[in-house]
Amino acid sequence: MELIKELPEVFEEFAEQRQKAFLDIKKLKDAGIPIVGVFCTYFPQEIAMAMGAATVSLCSTSDETIPAAEKDLPKNLCPLIKSSYGFASTQKCPFFYFSDLVVGETTCDGKKKMYEYLKQFKDVFTMELPNRQTEEGLRLWKKEIVRFKEYLEEKFDVTITEEQVRNAVHIQNEGRKALKRLYETMKLDPAPITGMELFKVLYGSTFKVDRSVIPGEVNEIVDKIEKEYAEGKMQERKPRILVTGCPIGGATEKVIKAIEDNGGIVVTYENCSGAKSIDKLVDEDTDDIYEAIAKRYLNIGCSIMTPNPNRLELLGRLIDEYQVDGVVEMILQACHTYNVETLGIRRFVNEEKGKPYISVETDYSQGDIGQLNTRIAAFIEML
């Protein structure tokens, strides 16, 4: 039996998964496997998986291509949108280059318009995502998921059976269970690992082309963490921080670093890279699998929804279960939906949960690291 690798080495492997995925995608492309490029947590992975396609998150977390994007897009636009468009227009993202299809959803206004321009470079299928979590919204979203399935069948000349969809649902659910088991180790106090180590696995797992390997690999890591914790290997007791807000990854990992370099430890992530994308499963014991998929994805608590009670429900649960001492919200510049929602989040955290809260606004440059360190250090010292 192969010995389980040292934990730091495993965390680094997941951190490097994005680079490894570049090679994996090229091999799949050469083998004739369809590649579907995606941007958002609302994307119903199971439908593309059911036809045997590989799905991959497209490049959007670096300021490398923002100057190129600003030739076409406004400068005062969310860096995630500019980065996404820039990687597409410059063809510097291997995932975008090899994608046979890019799928977007009508989330924020900036993304909706950006998808129109992406059609210059690639086939883009835009799903109409409702902005309200109502019965009417659920009916619309289910229709969009079925429409997406039918589009894939026509574009790639395949038939997607219900059995294939149910199998994909099961694979994704098993992956979610394993990742949830991983981040739930952070309920331990003191924490068993750092928030950055946790993030490396959560974020790196989104670049696993073969989703079926996630449960085995992640459960092995959890077993190792639990064994070492029982032996007394753990982090020093520090103020326990919950991170919420815009998607984190790449350049914005500077926020995690600022927290952990200044005396805190991130014990849970509410945003897209964390609990938000893993917390709920698709109901496998249902007659209507497409409605079950629609319900699971539509219930994600994102600031594009109005109202947005599901975000508060998850946030409140995480604050309680992870014994959180303070909440840090990361806002990307010009992300209007999250920025406007900070007032409601602050009130919820301060008044209903009785916890300290700070919001930090940033972009993909590294120029504000000093300011981030100063503000976050003062916040953690107050705790």
Side-chain angles (χ1 to χ4, degrees):
M1 179 179 156
E2 185 183 351
L3 290 174
I4 298 176
K5 297 176 182 177
E6 289 297 312
L7 274 179
E9 187 179 340
V10 172
F11 294 133
E12 287 307 317
E13 279 188 12
F14 269 88
E16 294 162 5
Q17 184 56 46
R18 185 165 167 268
Q19 284 82 4
K20 291 179 183 176
F22 291 156
L23 299 175
D24 292 340
I25 288 292
K26 173 69 165 61
K27 290 175 185 173
L28 292 173
K29 184 74 173 179
D30 290 343
I33 304 295
I35 311 296
V36 178
V38 304
F39 288 106
C40 184
T41 308
Y42 282 108
F43 172 71
Q45 296 263 0
E46 291 85 350
I47 304 302
M49 289 170 61
M51 71 165 241
T55 63
V56 64
S57 297
L58 296 174
C59 309
S60 61
T61 57
S62 162
D63 65 353
E64 177 187 351
T65 62
I66 285 179
E70 288 178 345
K71 293 176 183 176
D72 294 347
L73 300 178
K75 285 184 169 57
N76 62 340
L77 187 63
C78 162
L80 187 150
I81 297 170
K82 290 189 291 187
S83 179
S84 302
Y85 181 83
F87 273 109
S89 64
T90 60
Q91 297 194 18
K92 287 186 175 179
C93 176
F95 297 144
F96 190 92
Y97 179 79
F98 289 120
S99 290
D100 298 291
L101 174 69
V102 169
V103 180
E105 302 81 16
T106 53
T107 50
C108 70
D109 290 342
K111 272 189 173 180
K112 284 188 283 195
K113 303 312 290 184
M114 187 264 289
Y115 293 145
E116 294 178 18
Y117 293 136
L118 280 189
K119 291 178 181 177
Q120 303 170 81
F121 316 115
K122 192 71 70 173
D123 283 350
V124 177
F125 183 88
T126 305
M127 302 182 71
E128 187 175 349
L129 180 71
N131 60 16
R132 291 172 66 83
Q133 292 156 329
T134 60
E135 286 302 317
E136 282 296 316
L138 179 60
R139 278 193 285 271
L140 171 61
W141 190 227
K142 178 188 167 184
K143 285 180 183 176
E144 285 296 284
I145 288 173
V146 172
R147 183 172 74 90
F148 176 50
K149 176 191 88 84
E150 292 170 348
Y151 174 84
L152 292 178
E153 289 176 321
E154 183 178 349
K155 178 176 175 62
F156 295 100
D157 193 24
V158 295
T159 299
I160 300 174
T161 67
E162 184 173 318
E163 182 183 0
Q164 289 169 322
V165 174
R166 288 182 180 274
N167 182 55
V169 164
H170 180 70
I171 290 170
Q172 279 292 88
N173 274 348
E174 292 304 300
R176 291 179 186 118
K177 288 176 188 175
L179 290 166
K180 189 170 183 179
R181 183 179 169 227
L182 169 69
Y183 74 67
E184 285 184 341
T185 63
M186 300 300 274
K187 291 180 180 179
L188 294 167
D189 188 10
I193 58 177
T194 68
M196 184 63 85
E197 288 169 334
L198 171 66
F199 181 81
K200 284 175 180 178
V201 180
L202 294 175
Y203 186 61
S205 70
T206 66
F207 296 98
K208 288 281 184 183
V209 177
D210 182 357
R211 312 296 294 170
S212 66
V213 304
I214 291 175
E217 292 182 358
V218 173
N219 280 321
E220 190 174 55
I221 293 172
V222 180
D223 291 342
K224 179 80 169 170
I225 290 171
E226 290 176 344
K227 179 177 179 292
E228 291 193 353
Y229 197 85
E231 294 168 352
K233 295 179 182 176
M234 59 192 66
Q235 298 299 305
E236 180 187 340
R237 179 68 174 85
K238 298 175 182 177
R240 297 165 66 83
I241 305 298
L242 179 151
V243 171
T244 184
C246 294
I248 286 185
T252 49
E253 290 172 32
K254 62 187 175 182
V255 175
I256 306 171
K257 192 171 187 302
I259 292 168
E260 301 203 321
D261 283 353
N262 289 287
I265 187 161
V266 181
V267 292
T268 185
Y269 299 90
E270 183 272 336
N271 53 15
C272 295
S273 313
K276 185 175 291 183
S277 61
I278 304 163
D279 185 60
K280 294 284 193 293
L281 304 179
V282 176
D283 182 6
E284 297 183 44
D285 301 318
T286 180
D287 293 333
D288 190 339
I289 194 64
Y290 294 103
E291 180 167 308
I293 293 170
K295 189 175 292 185
R296 185 263 169 204
Y297 282 94
L298 187 62
N299 281 336
I300 292 170
C302 177
S303 66
I304 59 156
M305 291 292 166
T306 179
N308 187 19
N310 290 356
R311 183 182 179 197
L312 297 182
E313 187 277 327
L314 177 58
L315 195 58
R317 192 154 34 93
L318 294 175
I319 288 171
D320 293 342
E321 292 179 2
Y322 290 78
Q323 306 166 65
V324 167
D325 297 309
V327 172
V328 174
E329 180 157 27
M330 191 281 288
I331 304 294
L332 291 173
Q333 287 177 2
C335 180
H336 300 313
T337 57
Y338 271 103
N339 218 338
V340 172
E341 201 165 86
T342 55
L343 173 63
I345 298 300
R346 180 188 296 275
R347 285 174 174 168
F348 176 78
V349 173
N350 287 165
E351 297 169 15
E352 293 198 33
K353 306 309 292 183
K355 300 292 181 182
Y357 164 97
I358 186 176
S359 66
V360 292
E361 190 171 357
T362 189
D363 59 13
Y364 286 171
S365 75
Q366 300 302 300
D368 64 347
I369 287 178
Q371 183 188 29
L372 277 175
N373 277 310
T374 300
R375 291 194 65 207
I376 289 174
F379 177 72
I380 291 171
E381 189 175 336
M382 177 194 72
L383 301 179

